[in-house]
Amino acid sequence: MTTDELRESLLMSPKNGYNLMTSGAVLKSFGDGLVRIGRTLSIASIALLITKGRQLINEVEEFGNKIAQVGGYLQVSGAELDNMRVLALKFGKDTIFSATEAAEAISELAKAGMDSAQIAGGALDATLQLAAAGQMEFGEAAKVTAQAIKAFRLEAEDATGVADALAGAASNSVATVEGLADGFTRKYN
């Protein structure tokens, strides 16, 4: 029997025809239910996309604001500010920290008096190491690094040594990096 003959036989048989119509109605109802679910999921998906889009816009705006602060603290614009933007984006891509967090750390280092060459030349990397070792936020690690440099009247080039010393002291004692920073800023400021 061919497929066409089977179809014709099923359609002509009153019993099978009734079953096929009933099955067809059930399948149609099931299909309509799937359409309703699909519409609901589509609305939920659209809402999720809108929410994620808003978050992305907010993150981009926050990053832009942080970079503008960097420009203000460093008193730079144009290519030099673009270099700081690229540096923050690189740290955001290559580390566990976001580009916005890296821009905040750059801002903190700039507030402490470091210039863009010092920041790009190792101070930001030292700050990252301290943040990771001290399990702290990137901006806070930058603040601690800058405070240590000021407290001990060191140069920005000493940032790596400062970060290493703080991380080492914290890991070899019950003190935290923040506690150490608080102690020496009180004593030397």
Side-chain angles (χ1 to χ4, degrees):
M1 190 178 254
T2 66
T3 310
D4 290 338
E5 291 171 333
L6 178 60
R7 182 180 311 114
E8 189 175 326
S9 169
L10 289 172
L11 291 174
M12 296 305 259
S13 168
K15 181 178 179 192
N16 288 339
Y18 175 75
N19 286 339
L20 284 176
M21 288 188 333
T22 304
S23 297
V26 168
L27 288 175
K28 182 178 181 330
S29 175
F30 178 72
D32 290 344
L34 288 177
V35 167
R36 282 192 300 279
I37 290 171
R39 285 184 185 137
T40 302
L41 288 177
S42 293
I43 290 169
S45 297
I46 290 169
L48 179 63
L49 286 174
I50 290 170
T51 301
K52 290 295 183 185
R54 282 186 190 141
Q55 288 173 343
L56 179 62
I57 289 168
N58 290 340
E59 287 176 23
V60 168
E61 185 178 325
E62 184 181 0
F63 177 74
N65 291 338
K66 292 290 182 189
I67 291 297
Q69 288 176 350
V70 167
Y73 292 128
L74 290 174
Q75 298 179 349
V76 298
S77 61
E80 198 169 350
L81 184 58
D82 284 341
N83 289 341
M84 291 292 99
R85 180 181 293 109
V86 168
L87 184 63
L89 290 170
K90 181 184 181 322
F91 270 77
K93 180 180 174 257
D94 296 345
T95 70
I96 61 169
F97 299 102
S98 72
T100 301
E101 291 171 315
E104 181 182 347
I106 293 170
S107 182
E108 290 295 333
L109 294 171
K111 281 196 291 188
M114 292 185 197
D115 63 29
S116 57
Q118 293 167 324
I119 292 168
L124 187 62
D125 191 50
T127 298
L128 166 72
Q129 301 303 323
L130 181 61
Q135 298 177 345
M136 56 198 308
E137 291 182 14
F138 208 176
E140 186 62 28
K143 198 178 291 184
V144 166
T145 301
Q147 288 171 340
I149 288 170
K150 278 185 172 180
F152 296 111
R153 293 173 178 77
L154 300 171
E155 298 296 321
E157 294 79 27
D158 299 318
T160 302
V162 167
D164 288 346
L166 287 170
S171 69
N172 292 318
S173 69
V174 294
T176 64
V177 171
E178 291 96 337
L180 292 169
D182 187 45
F184 63 72
T185 54
R186 286 184 186 185
K187 180 169 175 93
Y188 294 101
N189 281 339

